[in-house]
Amino acid sequence: MTSAHSLSRRDFMRSVSAAAAAVLLPLPLQAGQVGRPNIVLIYADDLGYGDVGSYGATNFKTPNIDALASAGVRFTHAHSPSATCTPSRYAMLTGEYAWRRRGTGVLPGDARMIIQPGRTTLPSILQKAGYKTSVVGKWHLGLGGADLDWNGNITPGPLDIGFDYNFLIPATGDRVPCVYVEDRRVVGLDPADPIRVSFGQRIGDEPIGRDHPDLLKMHPSHGHDQTIVNGISRIGYMSGGKTARWVDEDMADAITGKAIAFIERHRDEPFFLYFATHDIHVPRVPHPRFAGTSGLGPRGDVICQLDWCAGELIKTLDRLNLADNTLVIFTSDNGPVVDDGYRDEAVEKLNGHKPAGPLRGGKYSAFDAGTRVPFIVRWPQRVKPGQSDALVSQVDLLASLAALTGQTLAHDDAPDSFDVLGALLGRTRTGRDHLVEHAGTLSLIKGPWKYIEPNRGARYDRNTDTELGNDPEPQLYNLTDDIGEKNNLATEHPEVVAELSDLLNKIRADGRSRP
Ligand code: NG6
Ligand code: CA
């Protein structure tokens, strides 16, 4: 524990009686086993396995993320729970695979919150352990209930599932409403110009992208042709809220500033910051100081901007003397996509860069690039730098951080979250025994093997140029020998196919997989 933490604890002890403190304080720490480092989870959006220097990118530089990797453990077989945003975030925050629940697919911007208040979540266990908890950035898990009114108190929201503070992009950058939500209110809203949001009927009388390409500074390639905000047409309709609308170019600065302010406010007590960037999701609109810096067009430029955001948080930890006892995790919510709906030159300016590195597929895909993502853990005081090929998933953060903070989960909590703390801290190379990957279809990884369930979905998505990994026949790959999933060995190894498909069926039927 840093001196800052013990100081605040001393202050706390002075201010309440010893008896009351015994009730209020978390479980006593067992030396060497548990602790309360600050935790900063940097969650990039759509960043691929090959999209940063420390994972093989050479066309542009990501010095801050690479510095994290060289001072921490760089994982080579770490996964997001799903190949898209909402289900990955749902699973990471609840410890439950999203495919177990209906309604956890990519959400519209007016969806109600899909995590039930009262449920054990990643922030709620840390809050119980005495942390100040916050989410800053992209949410995309729905907000409010059936009667949601963007002009009033937005409830339920993150404050009802374990966060003490939130500053949110409610859904995605490409979905309305294009406003920030701080705690329960839209920021900067003029009550005389109320917000309305619709994902069905067109509302309001503002021109839309479909009819007015002349008003656009960035044009859609597919979808994204409805309400125009800041010269960019979005998914969905909104009217009103003119003074509250964000400026995309300023978004990285806005959320980074809020994250730094949170760290500063809580420098004297353990804190958990879930920093969920908009970058590198579409629309890719860097601040002018990053525009043109990568040579790869906006997609590369927003990777540089993402790297800057990570660097600013690290600099803040250094400045406040908190870096040694802060566990920083850097990862992404799903794999990469190049054209995700705007004509932003991402395809034309790729210049040989491979967003997925050696992996096959990408965002939306059952192939490994859908979910295998950069994953870096740095904690100078406890974690030796290195590399790990342990199989871990973001769904494991809940059980692992519960273990770190000395807490026991109830049987029904976090049903798919494994305690892989030893692997996360680089103490063992053994991670989980098996992992279910989720895209349009399910896959199971166990040992060297990956089994993709037979599926009648499309093999290929023309809009995003993605191999989706669907096949009506079973697929079996040996990821150790064939990381690019080129050789389907299902007919050579029917016994492995049978074993893995049985195990997948059992995990599905049991409703849980946590040991
Ligand atoms: C798709 C959007 C895509 C992106 C994705 C969600 C269209 C045509 N495509 O439906 O642009 O928003 O949803 O991405 O609308 S995610 O990272 O939040 O899952
Ligand atoms: Ca995403």
Side-chain angles (χ1 to χ4, degrees), residues 45-46 84-86 106 138 140 172 174-175 222-224 235 281-282 333-334 340 363-364:
D45 198 347
D46 296 1
T84 49
C85 167
T86 300
V106 173
K138 174 172 169 177
H140 212 185
T172 60
D174 59 349
R175 283 175 176 73
H222 50 277
H224 303 103
I235 308 171
H281 199 279
V282 296
D333 71 334
N334 52 251
D340 204 17
K363 180 178 180 178
Y364 311 110

Side-chain angles (χ1 to χ4, degrees), residues 410-467:
H411 180 264
D412 291 339
D413 290 344
D416 299 299
S417 187
F418 288 26
D419 173 4
V420 293
L421 184 63
L424 293 183
L425 302 185
R427 294 186 184 150
T428 160
R429 287 180 57 200
T430 312
R432 357 168 97 233
D433 173 63
H434 55 76
L435 174 67
V436 180
E437 286 181 89
H438 171 224
T441 185
L442 297 185
S443 308
L444 182 71
I445 296 179
K446 187 170 171 18
W449 297 110
K450 169 163 168 186
Y451 162 70
I452 306 180
E453 265 194 332
N455 182 291
R456 300 207 168 270
R459 286 171 192 253
Y460 177 71
D461 177 50
R462 211 160 34 89
N463 284 333
T464 57
D465 186 22
T466 304
E467 288 188 294

Side-chain angles (χ1 to χ4, degrees), residues 15-89:
S15 69
V16 290
S17 75
V23 176
L24 291 171
L25 287 174
L27 291 174
L29 306 183
Q30 292 164 33
Q33 283 201 341
V34 295
R36 290 197 301 168
N38 306 305
I39 301 169
V40 174
L41 168 59
I42 304 175
Y43 207 54
D45 198 347
D46 296 1
L47 185 77
Y49 189 75
D51 269 331
V52 293
S54 38
Y55 283 81
T58 53
N59 300 47
F60 49 86
K61 297 210 179 324
T62 51
N64 293 301
I65 297 164
D66 299 346
L68 273 183
S70 50
V73 182
R74 191 183 75 97
F75 287 82
T76 59
H77 205 352
H79 292 257
S80 61
S82 297
T84 49
C85 167
T86 300
S88 278
R89 287 160 208 250

Side-chain angles (χ1 to χ4, degrees), residues 131-149:
Y131 282 72
K132 281 287 181 269
T133 58
S134 70
V135 50
V136 175
K138 174 172 169 177
W139 182 240
H140 212 185
L141 293 164
L143 283 171
D147 55 352
L148 170 64
D149 175 2

